[in-house]
Amino acid sequence: MKIRERGLIIGQYPTGKHNCLTDVPGVKVGHITLHKKISEEEHACTGVTAILPHEGNLFLEKVVAASYVINGFGKTTGLVQLDELGLLESPIMLSNTFAVPAVTHGTIEYMLKNNREIGDTTGTINIVTGECNDGYLNSIRELPIKPEHAIEAIENAVHTPCEEGAVGAGKGMVCFGYKGGIGTSSRIVADNNQCSYHLGCLVLSNFGGKVEFPFDKYMGPFVKDKDVKETPDGSIMIILGTDIPLTDRQLKRIAKRCGIGLGRTGSNYSHGSGDIVIAFSNGLKIPHHYKEDFSQQTVIREDHPIMNEIFSAAAEVTEEAILNSLSQAETTTGRKGRTVYSLFS
């Protein structure tokens, strides 16, 4: 159940049809979830989530993108080139900290299979992978995620509303001492000509202690207080997608506003927290192969009034996506018999 179904409305802008990142036309999301015992003490409680910016060939039709590091304790691949060129040419992959190499490997295999020119008649490919540490519930040292799980997550990607909560990369995540994981939300903004655009957010929430969460602000009597375990500093991956035609510099400005939504939920960007935003626009696609030496692009003016609306919507959609990750996540038991409770159970 999303947070709105519990009666809590975040912000002023209308949501998309499903209040999901996949409301952005063309965007697909897929998960693969692992939840099984490895031994008496050890448990695979983890997964992979794939975000596909559009339904075409991502290498041949790149999208404009940017990243913004709020706090840099995370381990990622691909962000250096993404920021240098302002382009995304692969799915955005999410998993646990020690799974980054395996997920990157699997994603490379998938992209090579579907693009035989990569590394042969043209250049290499930049894979973007992000992570959070699910080691409280998941036996992270056992390395349960394999390259084939990344491929499965990509192949499972759909346009329909994606699952949320303790699924995919979110299976073992903990947020404010309660069960966290995958959450998503969307907004619609319009310009003066009443052209409507979508802005969607998907988070992998794994941050904060119970003392930081503003219960009175959000939940009041709806939530039963529980004696939760304090876990080490966690992280959050924030994926922001839109069909608004923007430059990579504009996307970075918008990505910065996601930190406002994160802060509203109570985060203090802890020392050991990797708080990272990856933003893309499929409203502006760049072909890998080109015939002309110059290109023309149509983007929204920097001083257009809609920019302030986009900034506000980015904060709103991030805040609500985080709350949806808490609202949708079910109580989960993992390694060493540890149990992390749902905020609402």
Side-chain angles (χ1 to χ4, degrees):
M1 183 183 294
K2 282 183 176 284
I3 203 71
R4 286 179 179 247
E5 297 174 74
R6 301 184 189 275
L8 183 61
I9 306 300
I10 301 299
Q12 60 178 316
Y13 294 98
T15 70
K17 182 177 180 180
H18 300 292
N19 196 15
C20 181
L21 175 60
T22 56
D23 288 334
V24 179
V27 174
K28 299 166 70 174
V29 175
H31 303 296
I32 183 70
T33 305
L34 302 185
H35 193 207
K36 59 183 180 181
K37 291 190 73 171
I38 298 174
S39 67
E40 194 60 36
E41 288 279 292
E42 305 302 334
H43 202 111
C45 185
T46 189
V48 182
T49 294
I51 299 99
L52 281 62
H54 64 76
E55 54 195 342
N57 188 307
L58 298 174
F59 181 74
L60 296 181
E61 284 190 290
K62 308 176 197 305
V63 297
V64 176
S67 71
Y68 177 63
V69 178
I70 300 169
N71 194 65
F73 208 84
K75 292 81 178 168
T76 61
T77 67
L79 296 191
V80 172
Q81 182 175 312
L82 184 147
D83 274 341
E84 182 72 18
L85 302 183
L87 296 175
L88 174 67
E89 59 186 11
S90 78
I92 300 171
M93 307 299 293
L94 304 175
S95 192
N96 75 66
T97 308
F98 288 172
V100 170
V103 169
T104 302
H105 184 171
T107 308
I108 290 174
E109 286 188 353
Y110 177 87
M111 296 301 289
L112 291 179
K113 180 180 178 182
N114 289 277
N115 297 272
R116 297 196 175 276
E117 67 265 51
I118 295 176
D120 184 8
T121 59
T122 191
T124 57
I125 185 169
N126 185 52
I127 303 296
V128 175
T129 307
E131 56 76 35
C132 293
N133 185 351
D134 60 10
Y136 183 76
L137 287 175
N138 176 47
S139 296
I140 196 168
R141 287 176 55 88
E142 299 295 323
L143 305 177
I145 295 293
K146 307 301 180 188
E148 55 264 31
H149 295 127
I151 297 172
E152 286 185 66
I154 296 171
E155 292 178 340
N156 287 343
V158 292
H159 295 296
T160 53
C162 68
E163 291 182 88
E164 298 176 67
V167 296
K171 184 60 184 178
M173 303 301 172
V174 184
C175 188
F176 296 117
Y178 294 90
K179 191 67 193 72
I182 298 293
T184 183
S185 185
S186 69
R187 293 293 186 274
I188 296 175
V189 295
D191 63 16
N192 292 338
N193 297 317
Q194 294 305 301
C195 254
S196 292
Y197 299 102
H198 297 80
L199 188 74
C201 179
L202 182 145
V203 301
L204 178 61
S205 67
N206 188 59
F207 66 94
K210 178 183 173 183
V211 68
E212 297 174 272
F213 188 69
F215 285 92
D216 292 341
K217 174 182 176 182
Y218 291 125
M219 308 302 177
F222 296 107
V223 177
K224 297 177 182 178
D225 193 14
K226 304 178 184 70
D227 181 20
V228 303
K229 298 291 185 182
E230 292 297 329
T231 54
D233 292 347
S235 300
I236 184 170
M237 291 296 306
I238 302 170
I239 311 303
L240 195 71
T242 185
D243 57 355
I244 305 167
L246 299 160
T247 67
D248 57 296
R249 186 182 58 77
Q250 289 173 320
L251 277 171
K252 186 179 284 287
R253 295 189 70 207
I254 295 165
K256 292 177 181 179
R257 273 64 182 185
C258 293
I260 298 171
L262 176 59
R264 286 174 183 168
T265 66
S267 172
N268 295 311
Y269 314 158
S270 300
H271 160 71
S273 184
D275 307 319
I276 297 169
V277 186
I278 301 171
F280 67 86
S281 168
N282 63 17
L284 195 58
K285 296 174 185 170
I286 309 297
H288 180 75
H289 299 293
Y290 61 91
K291 297 179 180 179
E292 305 295 334
D293 291 335
F294 299 91
S295 64
Q296 291 183 333
Q297 300 170 349
T298 300
V299 298
I300 287 178
R301 284 177 56 94
E302 203 72 34
D303 57 355
H304 194 295
I306 198 175
M307 287 301 292
N308 281 331
E309 295 190 29
I310 297 168
F311 290 160
S312 296
E316 282 186 18
V317 80
T318 303
E319 180 182 9
E320 185 162 345
I322 293 168
L323 294 175
N324 279 334
S325 76
L326 288 160
S327 182
Q328 300 274 64
E330 298 176 347
T331 296
T332 303
T333 299
R335 65 186 293 253
K336 297 185 177 181
R338 294 171 176 169
T339 297
V340 178
Y341 294 96
S342 165
L343 185 62
F344 288 91
S345 64

